[in-house]
């Protein structure tokens, strides 16, 4: 793949997004309640047309949106991303009726979506999920079990839920269902997590679903899940790159003005070399994210491996950059309400969700050996 660079129009759009995030989205984010869906923020994303772009943008545009928003307002970035993750299976695999019911409402910010895959015993090993869809007549099932660590739960208006329709079949026996939140037997509770985003658990007590609720095909839901994750993994990397860039920018400003040992912090080689390393790793991660997104958009055959590489490198890089920024700022960075204190809490989770770093390494190795055997 050739070297990557953005067009002037793309750069201008990114700058516009950063300005919108700072001027219109961050004030709404600051009024939100930690751990709760910020519907005013979601609605503003809809008014700005950003949610509608989830249905017309490719992977690269999605990455540019997430990176740009993350630099100025991580809450806005996450709200956008969670809408996209929850609704993409409907957009890609839904029936005309399902799409007509939910896509316009997500686009204008009046409906909140959620992607319900993880379970207490099936996080990284998604094929081991145990939420059971028991037959309840022709083309009817009842869902029984639990989902956990579900973003936007329990406040979402609908969930893309993955359940086992064929016992003992591993990934081949999973079906994706579109489940409105008011379905009888569905309850949930919020979880108090390190990051301030809405995350919860869902309990399914014989929740009724029918063939009209199926997304894609029965027993083919794992493809729906993996197809969604292949699209969103590079953009998780973009979120991480945005946070890394915000931490780097704050560090450049701080080390240029802070007096220490008879000069500025930046005059100390130990400091300037760390800042250079932060910039180097951030740019390398950014380029890998863009390359993976472009591979997705062009239909390249190595998308799973590239997506895994992008998410792995970018999230691990962001952890390093934010941690180094905190170290160079000192105690002030850990004060509640400071930018780096916020980023320090935000940056940890992306190394786990949508496939932990260890899972990404496994995907990369599997793809490498498969490519070797195909030669």
């Amino acid at each position: 793949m050739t070297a990557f660079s953005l067009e002037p129009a793309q750069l201008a759009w990114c700058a516009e997004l950063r300005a919108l995030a700072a001027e219109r989205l961050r004030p709404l984010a600051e009024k939100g309640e930690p751990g709760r869906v910020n519907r005013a923020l979601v609605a503003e994303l809809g008014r700005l047309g950003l949610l509608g772009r989830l249905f017309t943008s490719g992977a690269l545009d999605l990455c540019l949106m997430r990176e740009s928003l993350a630099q100025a307002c991580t809450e806005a970035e996450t709200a956008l991303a969670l809408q996209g993750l929850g609704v993409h299976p409907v957009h890609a695999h839904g029936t005309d009726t399902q799409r007509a019911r939910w896509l316009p409402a997500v686009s204008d910010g009046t409906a909140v979506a959620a992607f319900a895959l993880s379970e207490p015993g099936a996080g990284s090993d998604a094929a081991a999920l145990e939420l059971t869809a028991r037959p309840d007549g022709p083309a009817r099932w009842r869902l029984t079990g639990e989902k956990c660590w579900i973003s936007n739960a329990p406040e979402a208006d609908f969930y893309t839920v993955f359940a086992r329709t064929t016992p003992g079949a591993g990934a081949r026996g999973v079906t994706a269902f579109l489940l409105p939140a008011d379905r009888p037997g569905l309850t949930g509770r919020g979880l108090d997590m390190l990051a301030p985003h809405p995350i919860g658990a869902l309990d399914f007590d014989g929740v009724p679903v029918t063939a009209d609720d199926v997304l894609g095909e029965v027993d083919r839901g794992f493809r729906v899940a993996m197809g969604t994750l292949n699209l969103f993994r590079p953009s998780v990397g973009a979120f991480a790159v945005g946070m890394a860039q915000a931490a780097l920018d704050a560090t450049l400003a701080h080390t240029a003005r802070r007096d220490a040992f008879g000069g500025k912090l930046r005059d100390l080689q130990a400091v300037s070399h760390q800042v250079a390393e932060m910039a180097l790793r951030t740019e390398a991660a950014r380029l890998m994210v863009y390359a993976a997104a472009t591979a997705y958009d062009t239909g390249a055959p190595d998308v799973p491996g590239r997506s895994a590489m992008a998410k792995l490198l970018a999230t691990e890089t962001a952890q390093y950059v934010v941690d180094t920024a905190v170290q160079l700022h000192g105690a002030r960075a850990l004060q509640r309400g400071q930018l780096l204190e916020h980023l320090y809490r935000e940056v940890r989770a992306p190394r786990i969700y949508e496939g932990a770093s260890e899972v990404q390494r496994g995907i990369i190795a599997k793809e490498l050996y498969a490519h070797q055997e195909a030669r």
Side-chain angles (χ1 to χ4, degrees), residues 32-313:
E33 182 180 347
R36 301 293 303 274
V37 172
N38 188 332
R39 289 188 177 265
L41 180 61
V42 173
E44 186 66 11
L45 288 167
R47 280 190 288 271
L48 292 173
L50 298 181
L51 296 178
R53 289 191 72 125
L54 292 170
F55 309 122
T56 59
S57 297
L60 179 59
D61 277 354
L62 178 60
C63 287
L64 297 181
M65 282 196 287
R66 294 190 67 174
E67 179 187 344
S68 300
L69 292 177
Q71 287 187 47
C73 182
T74 59
E75 295 91 342
E77 183 284 332
T78 300
L80 175 92
L82 296 182
Q83 288 289 84
L85 187 66
V87 79
H88 178 75
V90 184
H91 172 61
H93 302 278
T95 64
D96 290 342
T97 300
Q98 291 169 334
R99 290 162 57 89
R101 169 67 182 89
W102 292 109
L103 298 194
V106 170
S107 182
D108 64 22
T110 58
V112 172
F115 184 83
L117 178 63
S118 295
E119 298 179 5
S124 295
D125 186 8
L129 62 85
E130 296 180 353
L131 178 68
T132 303
R134 292 189 173 90
D136 187 39
R140 302 179 68 88
W141 302 264
R142 286 191 177 271
L143 305 182
T144 301
E146 184 180 1
K147 293 291 183 182
C148 198
W149 306 297
I150 306 304
S151 295
N152 283 344
E155 299 179 63
D157 297 301
F158 70 94
Y159 300 90
T160 297
V161 176
F162 298 88
R164 181 157 303 287
T165 40
T166 300
R172 299 177 184 233
V174 173
T175 299
F177 294 96
L178 171 55
L179 191 66
D182 60 0
R183 196 64 58 90
L186 176 62
T187 58
R189 61 195 183 280
L191 299 174
D192 189 9
M193 307 293 285
L194 178 67
H197 305 303
I199 299 174
L202 298 171
D203 294 303
F204 299 78
D205 184 12
V207 177
V209 290
T210 71
D212 292 337
D213 300 313
V214 172
L215 289 169
E217 301 176 55
V218 174
D219 285 345
R220 299 293 182 91
F222 199 70
R223 294 183 180 181
V224 176
M226 293 303 106
T228 302
L229 293 177
N230 281 338
L231 168 61
F232 276 84
R233 275 175 177 153
S235 71
V236 174
F239 172 39
V241 168
M243 288 190 288
Q245 188 64 55
L248 174 60
D249 290 344
T251 302
L252 286 168
H254 172 70
T255 55
R257 66 172 178 261
R258 177 62 185 265
D259 294 318
F261 306 104
K264 301 297 184 183
L265 269 181
R266 70 179 184 185
D267 298 327
L268 299 174
Q269 187 180 75
V271 171
S272 63
H273 283 193
Q274 286 188 78
V275 173
E277 184 70 17
M278 293 164 66
L280 171 68
R281 295 195 192 190
T282 300
E283 185 64 11
R286 176 180 287 115
L287 292 174
M288 181 162 281
V289 165
Y290 291 176
T294 302
Y296 184 97
D297 288 340
T298 57
D302 56 350
V303 167
R306 282 189 176 274
S307 294
M309 287 182 179
K311 181 183 185 294
L312 174 63
L313 180 65

Side-chain angles (χ1 to χ4, degrees), residues 303-329:
V303 167
R306 282 189 176 274
S307 294
M309 287 182 179
K311 181 183 185 294
L312 174 63
L313 180 65
T315 56
E316 295 286 341
T317 293
Q319 182 79 56
Y320 165 81
V321 171
V322 172
D323 186 70
T324 304
V326 168
Q327 193 70 20
L328 293 176
H329 277 74

